[in-house]
């Protein structure tokens, strides 16, 4: 899976989880701001991603991660 | 040859003075702890610090048995008695995420009293949360921070104040351990139905249960190290009882959270269920547990789930030793003042 495909997949999953049109979610936009999500919802998204890709994502690697591009950088090495 | 302190000398030809242990006497570990605690209290009193009495009788002994239906500020419970099961359902319902402070502790003590008195004939007990964010996010850090600040404002920040803080925290920790130990060893089947945050003290509460039914949204974590602490409600000894030491160290030393699925893989979680289904599945477990002879269940549980008493005692000592440090105060302040959407992150 290419980096761009991965980012699109992440956007798709976030769009589904938070019921927002994927078109509103840009790869480099701050998704906390854009989606208006709280800590519980962020954890839910993390669990979705772990389930979807059958990986584990340590929380500490998500510190400072607020865009789909940065999220893809954390996930890619685990695929 | 033994010596006694002059002020405590026995009268000539009279009975020995009370509480006098001749120097050189070998004492057991519990006696040594008792002496150490008395010395600390005496030292503090000389320094003019007023202390609450942590050795006050436990509420489980001084309060009447609570009813089987209860509606409190942090907990609600009811006895479900139908054709297929008799079980107690305990709902954690305090926003934001069932943080355990003095209010929750007081109600947990009432629950423990009820359990010790036979739980109204219940054969199983279910813990669950009606709070959206999760089962329980742990100790009430805002309350703890406020209590520390109040103590420091009252007594300064010297050794006396730190000793006083340690003494007060010891009282709280002794109480919560008494409750958790009662729940852990209750002679009925206990089930934790979890979702969302199961962090710190919440994880420790879940670990007292015999069976954990975890919804997919569940995240288990011990974030205490970021506060300069170790878990203090019995979490490590209880987790070590159930899973390998490697898993314990991973969770403890990184503070990372793991999913229900991972919890199932390592033997922590009994069943992983869909979002919103935890309580229903827990009820099925309670129904099944209710079919067995209660005495057999109690014996099987005692055999398969021994209480790690020595480790629990060591954990309490370690936690109390750490709590008064400036590292903890700074970390608590940072947490309390944080507006980060994920303040639990290391």
């Amino acid at each position: 899976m290419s980096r761009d495909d991965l980012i699109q997949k992440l956007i798709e999953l976030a769009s589904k989880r938070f019921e927002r049109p994927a078109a509103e979610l840009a790869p480099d936009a701050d998704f906390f701001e854009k989606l208006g999500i709280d800590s519980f919802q962020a954890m839910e998204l993390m669990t979705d991603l772990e389930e979807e890709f059958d990986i584990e994502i340590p929380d500490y690697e998500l510190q400072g991660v607020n865009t789909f591009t940065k999220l893809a950088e954390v996930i890619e090495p685990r695929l | 040859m033994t010596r006694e302190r002059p002020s405590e000398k026995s009268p000539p030809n009279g009975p020995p003075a009370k509480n006098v242990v001749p120097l050189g006497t070998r004492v057991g570990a519990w006696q040594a702890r008792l002496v150490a605690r008395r010395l600390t209290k005496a030292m503090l009193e000389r320094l003019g610090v007023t202390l609450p009495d942590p050795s006050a009788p436990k509420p489980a002994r001084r309060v009447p048995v609570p009813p089987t239906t209860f509606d409190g500020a942090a907990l609600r419970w009811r006895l479900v008695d139908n054709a297929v099961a008799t079980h107690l359902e305990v709902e954690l319902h305090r926003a934001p995420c069932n943080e355990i402070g003095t209010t929750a502790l007081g109600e947990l003590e009432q629950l423990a009293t009820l359990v010790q008195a036979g739980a109204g004939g219940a054969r199983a007990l279910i813990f669950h949360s009606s709070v959206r964010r999760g089962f329980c996010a742990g100790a009430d850090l805002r309350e703890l921070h406020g209590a520390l600040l109040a103590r420091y404002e009252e007594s300064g920040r010297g050794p006396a104040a730190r000793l006083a803080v340690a003494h007060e925290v010891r009282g709280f920790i002794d109480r919560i351990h008494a409750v958790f130990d009662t729940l852990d060893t209750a002679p009925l089947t206990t089930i934790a139905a979890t979702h969302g945050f199961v962090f710190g003290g919440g994880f420790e509460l879940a670990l007292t249960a015999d069976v954990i039914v975890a919804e997919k949204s569940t995240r288990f974590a011990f974030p205490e190290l970021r506060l300069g602490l170790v878990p203090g409600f019995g979490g490590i000894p209880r987790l070590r009882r159930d899973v390998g030491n490697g898993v314990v160290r991973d969770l403890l030393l990184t503070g990372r959270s793991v999913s229900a699925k991972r919890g199932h893989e390592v033997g922590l979680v009994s069943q992983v269920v869909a979002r919103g289904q935890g309580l229903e599945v827990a009820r099925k477990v309670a129904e099944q547990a209710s079919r067995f002879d209660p005495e057999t269940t109690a014996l099987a549980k005692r055999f398969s789930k021994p209480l790690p008493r020595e480790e629990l005692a060591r954990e309490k000592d370690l936690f109390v030793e750490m709590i008064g440090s400036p590292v903890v105060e700074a970390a608590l302040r940072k947490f309390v003042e944080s507006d980060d959407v994920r303040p639990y992150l290391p």
Side-chain angles (χ1 to χ4, degrees), chain A residues 3-68:
Chain A
R3 169 72 63 89
D4 286 345
D5 288 344
L6 177 57
I7 291 170
Q8 277 316 305
K9 185 71 186 169
L10 297 177
I11 289 175
E12 204 178 286
L13 289 166
S15 157
K16 190 175 158 196
R17 158 64 52 197
F18 302 116
E19 296 173 349
R20 296 285 292 271
E24 284 182 13
L25 306 173
D28 293 311
D30 183 327
F31 53 65
F32 284 109
E33 209 171 276
K34 198 78 191 164
L35 295 164
I37 58 178
D38 63 15
S39 54
F40 173 67
Q41 290 167 309
M43 293 262 280
E44 283 207 310
L45 179 60
M46 190 168 115
T47 306
D48 284 352
L49 301 179
E50 287 185 337
E51 207 173 311
E52 175 70 24
F53 299 111
D54 197 21
I55 57 170
E56 277 198 272
I57 309 171
D59 315 46
Y60 49 82
E61 288 200 25
L62 295 176
Q63 202 159 25
V65 170
N66 59 351
T67 69
F68 292 106

Side-chain angles (χ1 to χ4, degrees), chain B residues 61-75:
Chain B
R61 287 181 189 156
R62 65 181 155 82
V63 297
V65 176
T68 52
T69 301
F70 175 81
D71 191 353
L75 303 181

Side-chain angles (χ1 to χ4, degrees), chain B:
Chain B
M1 186 177 167
T2 58
R3 286 180 296 159
E4 291 172 352
R5 280 185 281 172
S7 61
E8 292 170 332
K9 248 184 178 171
S10 306
N13 305 319
K18 265 188 175 179
N19 301 326
V20 174
V21 179
L23 289 178
T25 305
R26 292 177 69 83
V27 296
W30 69 271
Q31 289 167 308
R33 279 200 297 277
L34 196 64
V35 170
R37 188 177 296 172
R38 282 186 183 161
L39 281 176
T40 306
K41 191 180 174 191
M43 285 160 56
L44 290 168
E45 281 168 355
R46 276 204 297 279
L47 291 161
V49 178
T50 314
L51 297 172
D53 184 3
S55 60
K58 293 178 177 64
R61 287 181 189 156
R62 65 181 155 82
V63 297
V65 176
T68 52
T69 301
F70 175 81
D71 191 353
L75 303 181
R76 278 187 203 109
W77 62 76
R78 68 188 180 108
L79 187 69
V80 177
D81 191 2
N82 57 35
V84 286
T86 304
H87 68 269
L88 198 64
E89 278 188 16
V90 182
E91 173 193 344
L92 290 79
H93 66 85
R94 193 177 197 206
C97 196
N98 296 314
E99 287 76 5
I100 300 172
T102 47
T103 301
L105 174 57
E107 293 180 4
L108 282 166
E109 284 176 329
Q110 291 189 58
L111 176 68
T113 305
L114 178 61
V115 167
Q116 278 175 327
R123 308 277 284 275
L125 182 151
I126 299 172
F127 271 108
H128 69 104
S129 160
S130 55
V131 173
R132 184 186 69 93
R133 288 184 170 193
F135 179 73
C136 174
D140 189 337
L141 299 180
R142 288 176 199 284
E143 184 180 289
L144 176 61
H145 183 245
L148 289 179
L149 283 187
R151 169 56 74 184
Y152 291 144
E153 272 171 28
E154 189 184 313
S155 312
R157 285 168 190 272
R162 298 207 185 288
L163 275 172
V165 164
H167 190 83
E168 284 168 15
V169 170
R170 162 68 73 169
F172 185 90
I173 291 292
D174 281 346
R175 286 172 62 197
I176 197 117
H177 271 254
V179 170
F180 280 22
D181 290 355
T182 299
L183 296 172
D184 191 309
T185 56
L188 39 78
T189 301
T190 55
I191 306 143
T194 64
H195 71 277
F197 291 105
V198 187
F199 277 21
F203 192 7
E204 293 173 294
L205 175 60
L207 284 166
T208 67
D210 304 330
V211 172
I212 297 178
V213 174
E215 295 184 12
K216 283 184 178 176
S217 64
T218 299
R219 304 293 306 195
F220 299 100
F222 279 134
E224 279 84 353
L225 255 71
R226 69 182 293 272
L227 298 171
L229 287 168
V230 293
F233 298 175
I236 297 302
R238 287 187 226 279
L239 182 62
R240 186 148 46 202
R241 183 175 58 183
D242 293 341
V243 306
N245 230 351
V247 178
V248 175
R249 286 194 301 274
D250 179 18
L251 290 175
L252 180 66
L253 300 178
T254 70
R256 78 184 181 103
S257 69
V258 293
S259 65
K261 185 181 169 219
R262 177 73 178 142
H264 187 252
E265 285 166 359
V266 300
L268 168 66
V269 168
S270 171
Q271 299 186 51
V272 180
V273 301
R275 287 171 172 82
Q277 296 302 309
L279 180 55
E280 278 311 309
V281 173
R283 283 175 179 148
K284 301 282 183 205
V285 177
E287 284 173 18
Q288 174 64 8
S290 294
R291 293 192 173 103
F292 303 131
D293 172 58
E295 277 189 34
T296 307
T297 296
L299 286 171
K301 179 165 166 176
R302 203 182 310 156
F303 177 69
S304 63
K305 196 183 173 209
L307 196 64
R309 292 182 195 280
E310 199 184 315
E311 268 192 282
L312 288 166
R314 288 213 313 270
E315 184 207 75
K316 280 200 280 187
D317 291 343
L318 183 59
F319 183 86
V320 173
E321 194 181 310
M322 291 172 153
I323 194 75
S325 90
V327 175
V328 174
E329 193 195 339
L332 281 174
R333 187 172 57 244
K334 190 176 163 198
F335 181 89
V336 167
E337 291 171 357
S338 172
D339 57 359
D340 192 319
V341 73
R342 293 167 298 174
Y344 57 85
L345 279 181

